[in-house]
Amino acid sequence: MAQVLSLHVFFSAEIHKVGPSKPLKRIHKPKTSLSTRRKATQSPQSPLRKTQKLNLQVSPHRAVSAVRLMRIEMGGAFADLLNDKGKGSGDNEMGYVERTLGFRTKDLDDRDLRLVTDIVGGTIRWRRYLDYLIGSLCHDEKAFRSMEPLLLQILRIGFYEIVKLDMPSYAVVDENVRLAKFSLRPGAGNMVNGILRKLVLLKESNSLPLPKLEGDDRAQARALATLYSHPVWMVRRWTKLLGQEKAIKLMMWNNDNPSFSLRANSGKGVTRADLVMQFNMLKVPHELSLHLDHFVRVKTGLQIVIQAGLLKQGLCAVQDESAGLIVSVVNPQPGDSIIDCCAAPGGKTLYMASQMHGQGMLYAIDINKGRLRIVKETAKLHQVDGVITTIPSDLRTFAESYQLKSDKVLLDAPCSGLGVLSKRADLRWNRRLEDLEELKKLQEELLDAASILVKPGGVLVYSTCSIDPEENEERVDAFLLRHPEFRIDPVDRYVPPDFVTKRGFYSSDPVKHSMDGAFAARLIRTL
């Protein structure tokens, strides 16, 4: 079980450490089922199974994609839940299809699995743009605004396949019409048929409707938000902070298919050369990291790596280089005493532990007992559990109640996640400007608590996966005003010069460095 759980932990480790998301809600089944249910016997070893009508006329990747999009938008599921064999959140993917659409399709093969990942991620990224096109092609805006959720997801899939994937239009129209007819009703299929055919004609004549980039700043921000499919508030914020040209490049980066980095698990004696040999055997294209000795970049073929069992065996972990460089800022050494204040899901915890070579102690604190338990299990798999002690607790309560002091303290704080939008496709639609204010307050409370745990002469590292100054430099400045016993320790001794800001902080830029955006400040306690 630890191996299965570790796969999801490491596939999500540097993606999910952001502020709170919507809770998962139940997606209600259609009132009328398209097939009859048959009760099955229940054995002590397996849960109750229900047999549904098998529909071989609907393509499995489209059925799964539509249901996955429903779960993400209406239920708050993460867009990156899909892992090997098409399983998400521990349940078989086809089970969600069965409960939502009323029928099953054939099981996903490897090609279907890749298509689901591409279509779901791409449809979420381009949602605002796709909705603009769909609304433009509906006979009136009211029809679009009142469209039932499943029908809208089917149209989004069709529009994405035609406009962004350049799939054969006849196949896209035919198969999405069938999906609408079988999962909803014949009239829904007719509507999908009419709208998609209209889209095909417009695309072939190069006359797709597009908003014009004109007017005042607000009007231009709205147009850019549609063209590059981001919330208006993000566009306005980035345009003001970065300028329009760089804001556009950032949005283009966020909309591209993400690349992933894998870290060789040195705690288990695995070197990068070992990992490269495995990738060559699997014929997975890869590049060596230019910045970190244990990391390899993979643009395509991650599913091949997963299915080959390299993550399940603990040979490597999915971890972005931006997160690895934050560990470099901490600079863990054998014999150190380190506290990781918000440890789950554990990516940085385990990387730091691997650098300690079995000497010293790393205390992993997190408020979420379940996720911390997974970190503990995965530490055993990675053979670094000898230096890790997990402590389920609210950091603020723990710091006031216990006298634990350490050489190095890492606070990888909950944040907006604005630096990881290429991987967390759904996050842009779940974030509000108001969230930043709430997160800033939490970040300050956690920083104050973390500072209590630092020995005199010790190091406090504050990090985020955000690119917003209000969560980064401004939080550090406010902390230093409250805590004059700390001073900035420039990070130029720990990371390449290209990542060092004028003030001595670490910062990774998605456009400039082709990795997630992240920030870290290294602070020394002088008293």
PDB file of all heavy atoms in Angstrom, residues 6-7 28 51 63 68 96 98 102 120 138-139 166-167 237 248 280 319 369 403 430 434 439 471 482 488:
ATOM      1  N   SER A   6       2.703   6.205  -2.436  1.00  0.00           N
ATOM      2  CA  SER A   6       3.859   7.043  -2.730  1.00  0.00           C
ATOM      3  C   SER A   6       3.813   7.566  -4.153  1.00  0.00           C
ATOM      4  O   SER A   6       4.281   8.652  -4.434  1.00  0.00           O
ATOM      5  CB  SER A   6       5.145   6.254  -2.524  1.00  0.00           C
ATOM      6  OG  SER A   6       5.304   5.259  -3.519  1.00  0.00           O
ATOM      7  N   LEU A   7       3.253   6.804  -5.066  1.00  0.00           N
ATOM      8  CA  LEU A   7       3.135   7.248  -6.439  1.00  0.00           C
ATOM      9  C   LEU A   7       2.365   8.548  -6.504  1.00  0.00           C
ATOM     10  O   LEU A   7       2.788   9.511  -7.147  1.00  0.00           O
ATOM     11  CB  LEU A   7       2.429   6.167  -7.274  1.00  0.00           C
ATOM     12  CG  LEU A   7       1.996   6.576  -8.685  1.00  0.00           C
ATOM     13  CD1 LEU A   7       3.229   6.904  -9.514  1.00  0.00           C
ATOM     14  CD2 LEU A   7       1.204   5.458  -9.332  1.00  0.00           C
ATOM     15  N   HIS A  28     -24.027  13.956  -8.607  1.00  0.00           N
ATOM     16  CA  HIS A  28     -25.264  13.183  -8.582  1.00  0.00           C
ATOM     17  C   HIS A  28     -25.462  12.421  -9.883  1.00  0.00           C
ATOM     18  O   HIS A  28     -25.188  12.919 -10.977  1.00  0.00           O
ATOM     19  CB  HIS A  28     -26.450  14.111  -8.348  1.00  0.00           C
ATOM     20  CG  HIS A  28     -26.385  14.783  -7.008  1.00  0.00           C
ATOM     21  ND1 HIS A  28     -26.621  14.130  -5.836  1.00  0.00           N
ATOM     22  CD2 HIS A  28     -26.071  16.066  -6.675  1.00  0.00           C
ATOM     23  CE1 HIS A  28     -26.485  14.963  -4.828  1.00  0.00           C
ATOM     24  NE2 HIS A  28     -26.145  16.150  -5.320  1.00  0.00           N
ATOM     25  N   THR A  51     -23.253  -4.325 -12.053  1.00  0.00           N
ATOM     26  CA  THR A  51     -22.995  -4.499 -13.470  1.00  0.00           C
ATOM     27  C   THR A  51     -23.836  -3.528 -14.272  1.00  0.00           C
ATOM     28  O   THR A  51     -25.048  -3.448 -14.088  1.00  0.00           O
ATOM     29  CB  THR A  51     -23.324  -5.942 -13.908  1.00  0.00           C
ATOM     30  OG1 THR A  51     -22.569  -6.840 -13.096  1.00  0.00           O
ATOM     31  CG2 THR A  51     -22.965  -6.141 -15.369  1.00  0.00           C
ATOM     32  N   ALA A  63     -15.465   9.766 -22.780  1.00  0.00           N
ATOM     33  CA  ALA A  63     -16.358   9.548 -21.637  1.00  0.00           C
ATOM     34  C   ALA A  63     -15.642   9.854 -20.330  1.00  0.00           C
ATOM     35  O   ALA A  63     -16.159  10.562 -19.457  1.00  0.00           O
ATOM     36  CB  ALA A  63     -16.882   8.112 -21.641  1.00  0.00           C
ATOM     37  N   ARG A  68     -14.345  13.348 -15.763  1.00  0.00           N
ATOM     38  CA  ARG A  68     -13.249  13.951 -15.003  1.00  0.00           C
ATOM     39  C   ARG A  68     -13.424  15.470 -14.913  1.00  0.00           C
ATOM     40  O   ARG A  68     -13.253  16.067 -13.846  1.00  0.00           O
ATOM     41  CB  ARG A  68     -11.916  13.613 -15.678  1.00  0.00           C
ATOM     42  CG  ARG A  68     -10.706  14.309 -15.064  1.00  0.00           C
ATOM     43  CD  ARG A  68     -10.527  13.904 -13.614  1.00  0.00           C
ATOM     44  NE  ARG A  68     -10.249  12.496 -13.506  1.00  0.00           N
ATOM     45  CZ  ARG A  68      -9.030  11.964 -13.523  1.00  0.00           C
ATOM     46  NH1 ARG A  68      -7.997  12.741 -13.664  1.00  0.00           N
ATOM     47  NH2 ARG A  68      -8.864  10.678 -13.373  1.00  0.00           N
ATOM     48  N   TYR A  96     -16.421   5.937 -12.062  1.00  0.00           N
ATOM     49  CA  TYR A  96     -16.988   7.292 -12.097  1.00  0.00           C
ATOM     50  C   TYR A  96     -17.859   7.477 -13.337  1.00  0.00           C
ATOM     51  O   TYR A  96     -18.908   8.114 -13.291  1.00  0.00           O
ATOM     52  CB  TYR A  96     -15.865   8.335 -12.084  1.00  0.00           C
ATOM     53  CG  TYR A  96     -15.169   8.456 -10.764  1.00  0.00           C
ATOM     54  CD1 TYR A  96     -13.859   8.013 -10.609  1.00  0.00           C
ATOM     55  CD2 TYR A  96     -15.805   9.038  -9.671  1.00  0.00           C
ATOM     56  CE1 TYR A  96     -13.198   8.123  -9.395  1.00  0.00           C
ATOM     57  CE2 TYR A  96     -15.141   9.155  -8.452  1.00  0.00           C
ATOM     58  CZ  TYR A  96     -13.850   8.699  -8.320  1.00  0.00           C
ATOM     59  OH  TYR A  96     -13.210   8.819  -7.115  1.00  0.00           O
ATOM     60  N   GLU A  98     -19.486   5.138 -14.929  1.00  0.00           N
ATOM     61  CA  GLU A  98     -20.700   4.352 -14.722  1.00  0.00           C
ATOM     62  C   GLU A  98     -21.709   5.088 -13.846  1.00  0.00           C
ATOM     63  O   GLU A  98     -22.902   5.140 -14.151  1.00  0.00           O
ATOM     64  CB  GLU A  98     -20.316   3.017 -14.086  1.00  0.00           C
ATOM     65  CG  GLU A  98     -21.480   2.071 -13.844  1.00  0.00           C
ATOM     66  CD  GLU A  98     -20.997   0.750 -13.270  1.00  0.00           C
ATOM     67  OE1 GLU A  98     -19.769   0.590 -13.110  1.00  0.00           O
ATOM     68  OE2 GLU A  98     -21.848  -0.111 -12.987  1.00  0.00           O
ATOM     69  N   GLY A 102     -24.254   6.468 -16.542  1.00  0.00           N
ATOM     70  CA  GLY A 102     -25.218   5.377 -16.578  1.00  0.00           C
ATOM     71  C   GLY A 102     -24.771   4.193 -17.399  1.00  0.00           C
ATOM     72  O   GLY A 102     -25.541   3.260 -17.611  1.00  0.00           O
ATOM     73  N   VAL A 120      -8.089  16.647 -20.687  1.00  0.00           N
ATOM     74  CA  VAL A 120      -8.548  17.232 -19.422  1.00  0.00           C
ATOM     75  C   VAL A 120      -7.709  18.459 -19.064  1.00  0.00           C
ATOM     76  O   VAL A 120      -8.248  19.534 -18.781  1.00  0.00           O
ATOM     77  CB  VAL A 120      -8.508  16.189 -18.283  1.00  0.00           C
ATOM     78  CG1 VAL A 120      -8.746  16.860 -16.933  1.00  0.00           C
ATOM     79  CG2 VAL A 120      -9.565  15.115 -18.519  1.00  0.00           C
ATOM     80  N   CYS A 138     -23.481  29.796 -30.017  1.00  0.00           N
ATOM     81  CA  CYS A 138     -24.848  29.490 -29.592  1.00  0.00           C
ATOM     82  C   CYS A 138     -25.811  30.541 -30.166  1.00  0.00           C
ATOM     83  O   CYS A 138     -25.422  31.675 -30.425  1.00  0.00           O
ATOM     84  CB  CYS A 138     -24.955  29.488 -28.070  1.00  0.00           C
ATOM     85  SG  CYS A 138     -24.274  28.004 -27.302  1.00  0.00           S
ATOM     86  N   HIS A 139     -27.084  30.163 -30.308  1.00  0.00           N
ATOM     87  CA  HIS A 139     -28.032  31.096 -30.929  1.00  0.00           C
ATOM     88  C   HIS A 139     -28.348  32.291 -30.040  1.00  0.00           C
ATOM     89  O   HIS A 139     -28.741  33.342 -30.518  1.00  0.00           O
ATOM     90  CB  HIS A 139     -29.314  30.372 -31.338  1.00  0.00           C
ATOM     91  CG  HIS A 139     -30.051  29.751 -30.192  1.00  0.00           C
ATOM     92  ND1 HIS A 139     -29.739  28.493 -29.717  1.00  0.00           N
ATOM     93  CD2 HIS A 139     -31.067  30.216 -29.429  1.00  0.00           C
ATOM     94  CE1 HIS A 139     -30.536  28.190 -28.702  1.00  0.00           C
ATOM     95  NE2 HIS A 139     -31.346  29.215 -28.502  1.00  0.00           N
ATOM     96  N   ASP A 166      -6.223  19.910 -33.320  1.00  0.00           N
ATOM     97  CA  ASP A 166      -6.318  19.682 -34.768  1.00  0.00           C
ATOM     98  C   ASP A 166      -6.648  18.234 -35.098  1.00  0.00           C
ATOM     99  O   ASP A 166      -6.118  17.653 -36.053  1.00  0.00           O
ATOM    100  CB  ASP A 166      -5.013  20.086 -35.476  1.00  0.00           C
ATOM    101  CG  ASP A 166      -4.845  21.596 -35.534  1.00  0.00           C
ATOM    102  OD1 ASP A 166      -5.855  22.302 -35.754  1.00  0.00           O
ATOM    103  OD2 ASP A 166      -3.717  22.072 -35.333  1.00  0.00           O
ATOM    104  N   MET A 167      -7.527  17.626 -34.309  1.00  0.00           N
ATOM    105  CA  MET A 167      -7.976  16.264 -34.608  1.00  0.00           C
ATOM    106  C   MET A 167      -8.897  16.287 -35.841  1.00  0.00           C
ATOM    107  O   MET A 167      -9.493  17.321 -36.149  1.00  0.00           O
ATOM    108  CB  MET A 167      -8.734  15.688 -33.411  1.00  0.00           C
ATOM    109  CG  MET A 167      -7.862  15.273 -32.255  1.00  0.00           C
ATOM    110  SD  MET A 167      -8.864  14.446 -30.973  1.00  0.00           S
ATOM    111  CE  MET A 167      -7.584  13.886 -29.867  1.00  0.00           C
ATOM    112  N   ARG A 237      -3.133  42.009 -12.752  1.00  0.00           N
ATOM    113  CA  ARG A 237      -2.051  42.020 -11.766  1.00  0.00           C
ATOM    114  C   ARG A 237      -0.699  41.821 -12.444  1.00  0.00           C
ATOM    115  O   ARG A 237       0.276  42.528 -12.168  1.00  0.00           O
ATOM    116  CB  ARG A 237      -2.311  40.923 -10.732  1.00  0.00           C
ATOM    117  CG  ARG A 237      -1.475  41.026  -9.455  1.00  0.00           C
ATOM    118  CD  ARG A 237      -1.980  40.015  -8.444  1.00  0.00           C
ATOM    119  NE  ARG A 237      -1.289  40.131  -7.179  1.00  0.00           N
ATOM    120  CZ  ARG A 237      -1.651  40.939  -6.183  1.00  0.00           C
ATOM    121  NH1 ARG A 237      -2.697  41.737  -6.343  1.00  0.00           N
ATOM    122  NH2 ARG A 237      -0.975  40.979  -5.047  1.00  0.00           N
ATOM    123  N   ILE A 248       1.977  38.134 -21.162  1.00  0.00           N
ATOM    124  CA  ILE A 248       1.509  37.235 -22.218  1.00  0.00           C
ATOM    125  C   ILE A 248       2.400  35.992 -22.290  1.00  0.00           C
ATOM    126  O   ILE A 248       1.907  34.859 -22.414  1.00  0.00           O
ATOM    127  CB  ILE A 248       1.479  37.966 -23.576  1.00  0.00           C
ATOM    128  CG1 ILE A 248       0.340  38.985 -23.595  1.00  0.00           C
ATOM    129  CG2 ILE A 248       1.312  36.971 -24.723  1.00  0.00           C
ATOM    130  CD1 ILE A 248       0.333  39.882 -24.830  1.00  0.00           C
ATOM    131  N   ASN A 280      16.818   5.376 -20.891  1.00  0.00           N
ATOM    132  CA  ASN A 280      17.281   4.908 -22.201  1.00  0.00           C
ATOM    133  C   ASN A 280      16.678   3.547 -22.539  1.00  0.00           C
ATOM    134  O   ASN A 280      16.284   3.291 -23.683  1.00  0.00           O
ATOM    135  CB  ASN A 280      18.807   4.827 -22.218  1.00  0.00           C
ATOM    136  CG  ASN A 280      19.463   6.193 -22.262  1.00  0.00           C
ATOM    137  OD1 ASN A 280      18.871   7.160 -22.732  1.00  0.00           O
ATOM    138  ND2 ASN A 280      20.696   6.289 -21.771  1.00  0.00           N
ATOM    139  N   GLN A 319       9.624  15.691  -8.969  1.00  0.00           N
ATOM    140  CA  GLN A 319       9.861  16.903  -8.186  1.00  0.00           C
ATOM    141  C   GLN A 319      10.426  17.979  -9.104  1.00  0.00           C
ATOM    142  O   GLN A 319      11.399  17.744  -9.813  1.00  0.00           O
ATOM    143  CB  GLN A 319      10.829  16.624  -7.038  1.00  0.00           C
ATOM    144  CG  GLN A 319      11.012  17.793  -6.077  1.00  0.00           C
ATOM    145  CD  GLN A 319      11.755  17.377  -4.819  1.00  0.00           C
ATOM    146  OE1 GLN A 319      12.723  16.625  -4.878  1.00  0.00           O
ATOM    147  NE2 GLN A 319      11.293  17.857  -3.671  1.00  0.00           N
ATOM    148  N   LYS A 369      -2.851  14.927   9.470  1.00  0.00           N
ATOM    149  CA  LYS A 369      -2.327  13.640   9.942  1.00  0.00           C
ATOM    150  C   LYS A 369      -2.271  12.598   8.827  1.00  0.00           C
ATOM    151  O   LYS A 369      -1.319  11.824   8.735  1.00  0.00           O
ATOM    152  CB  LYS A 369      -3.195  13.114  11.092  1.00  0.00           C
ATOM    153  CG  LYS A 369      -3.133  13.949  12.362  1.00  0.00           C
ATOM    154  CD  LYS A 369      -4.007  13.325  13.444  1.00  0.00           C
ATOM    155  CE  LYS A 369      -3.953  14.153  14.731  1.00  0.00           C
ATOM    156  NZ  LYS A 369      -4.809  13.564  15.796  1.00  0.00           N
ATOM    157  N   GLN A 403       9.759  23.043  23.349  1.00  0.00           N
ATOM    158  CA  GLN A 403      11.025  23.759  23.402  1.00  0.00           C
ATOM    159  C   GLN A 403      12.004  23.294  22.321  1.00  0.00           C
ATOM    160  O   GLN A 403      13.209  23.487  22.443  1.00  0.00           O
ATOM    161  CB  GLN A 403      11.662  23.553  24.794  1.00  0.00           C
ATOM    162  CG  GLN A 403      10.824  24.081  25.935  1.00  0.00           C
ATOM    163  CD  GLN A 403      10.562  25.569  25.799  1.00  0.00           C
ATOM    164  OE1 GLN A 403      11.473  26.347  25.552  1.00  0.00           O
ATOM    165  NE2 GLN A 403       9.297  25.965  25.966  1.00  0.00           N
ATOM    166  N   ASN A 430      -9.783  28.466  -9.452  1.00  0.00           N
ATOM    167  CA  ASN A 430     -10.184  28.345  -8.041  1.00  0.00           C
ATOM    168  C   ASN A 430      -9.602  29.449  -7.167  1.00  0.00           C
ATOM    169  O   ASN A 430      -9.925  29.523  -5.981  1.00  0.00           O
ATOM    170  CB  ASN A 430      -9.737  26.987  -7.485  1.00  0.00           C
ATOM    171  CG  ASN A 430     -10.443  25.834  -8.162  1.00  0.00           C
ATOM    172  OD1 ASN A 430     -11.534  25.991  -8.688  1.00  0.00           O
ATOM    173  ND2 ASN A 430      -9.809  24.670  -8.184  1.00  0.00           N
ATOM    174  N   GLU A 434      -9.130  37.839  -3.370  1.00  0.00           N
ATOM    175  CA  GLU A 434      -9.326  37.891  -1.916  1.00  0.00           C
ATOM    176  C   GLU A 434      -8.526  36.816  -1.191  1.00  0.00           C
ATOM    177  O   GLU A 434      -8.164  36.979  -0.020  1.00  0.00           O
ATOM    178  CB  GLU A 434     -10.811  37.739  -1.571  1.00  0.00           C
ATOM    179  CG  GLU A 434     -11.703  38.880  -2.067  1.00  0.00           C
ATOM    180  CD  GLU A 434     -12.062  38.760  -3.539  1.00  0.00           C
ATOM    181  OE1 GLU A 434     -11.714  37.723  -4.166  1.00  0.00           O
ATOM    182  OE2 GLU A 434     -12.666  39.712  -4.070  1.00  0.00           O
ATOM    183  N   LEU A 439      -4.238  34.435   2.709  1.00  0.00           N
ATOM    184  CA  LEU A 439      -2.986  33.680   2.745  1.00  0.00           C
ATOM    185  C   LEU A 439      -1.862  34.493   3.364  1.00  0.00           C
ATOM    186  O   LEU A 439      -1.019  33.952   4.090  1.00  0.00           O
ATOM    187  CB  LEU A 439      -2.607  33.239   1.329  1.00  0.00           C
ATOM    188  CG  LEU A 439      -3.439  32.077   0.766  1.00  0.00           C
ATOM    189  CD1 LEU A 439      -3.236  31.953  -0.731  1.00  0.00           C
ATOM    190  CD2 LEU A 439      -3.074  30.764   1.454  1.00  0.00           C
ATOM    191  N   GLU A 471       3.367  37.868  -1.493  1.00  0.00           N
ATOM    192  CA  GLU A 471       3.547  36.633  -0.735  1.00  0.00           C
ATOM    193  C   GLU A 471       5.024  36.344  -0.464  1.00  0.00           C
ATOM    194  O   GLU A 471       5.335  35.519   0.391  1.00  0.00           O
ATOM    195  CB  GLU A 471       2.947  35.450  -1.498  1.00  0.00           C
ATOM    196  CG  GLU A 471       1.450  35.527  -1.702  1.00  0.00           C
ATOM    197  CD  GLU A 471       0.914  34.271  -2.341  1.00  0.00           C
ATOM    198  OE1 GLU A 471       0.896  34.199  -3.589  1.00  0.00           O
ATOM    199  OE2 GLU A 471       0.535  33.352  -1.593  1.00  0.00           O
ATOM    200  N   ARG A 482       9.240  42.895  12.356  1.00  0.00           N
ATOM    201  CA  ARG A 482       8.759  42.329  13.618  1.00  0.00           C
ATOM    202  C   ARG A 482       9.866  41.607  14.372  1.00  0.00           C
ATOM    203  O   ARG A 482       9.773  41.427  15.586  1.00  0.00           O
ATOM    204  CB  ARG A 482       7.600  41.348  13.365  1.00  0.00           C
ATOM    205  CG  ARG A 482       6.364  41.957  12.734  1.00  0.00           C
ATOM    206  CD  ARG A 482       5.164  40.997  12.788  1.00  0.00           C
ATOM    207  NE  ARG A 482       5.438  39.686  12.237  1.00  0.00           N
ATOM    208  CZ  ARG A 482       5.311  39.367  10.954  1.00  0.00           C
ATOM    209  NH1 ARG A 482       4.956  40.299  10.086  1.00  0.00           N
ATOM    210  NH2 ARG A 482       5.567  38.139  10.522  1.00  0.00           N
ATOM    211  N   ILE A 488      19.012  38.915   6.599  1.00  0.00           N
ATOM    212  CA  ILE A 488      19.056  38.181   5.331  1.00  0.00           C
ATOM    213  C   ILE A 488      20.448  37.584   5.110  1.00  0.00           C
ATOM    214  O   ILE A 488      21.463  38.264   5.270  1.00  0.00           O
ATOM    215  CB  ILE A 488      18.698  39.117   4.158  1.00  0.00           C
ATOM    216  CG1 ILE A 488      17.260  39.629   4.298  1.00  0.00           C
ATOM    217  CG2 ILE A 488      18.884  38.404   2.816  1.00  0.00           C
ATOM    218  CD1 ILE A 488      16.902  40.734   3.306  1.00  0.00           C
TER     219      ILE A 488
END
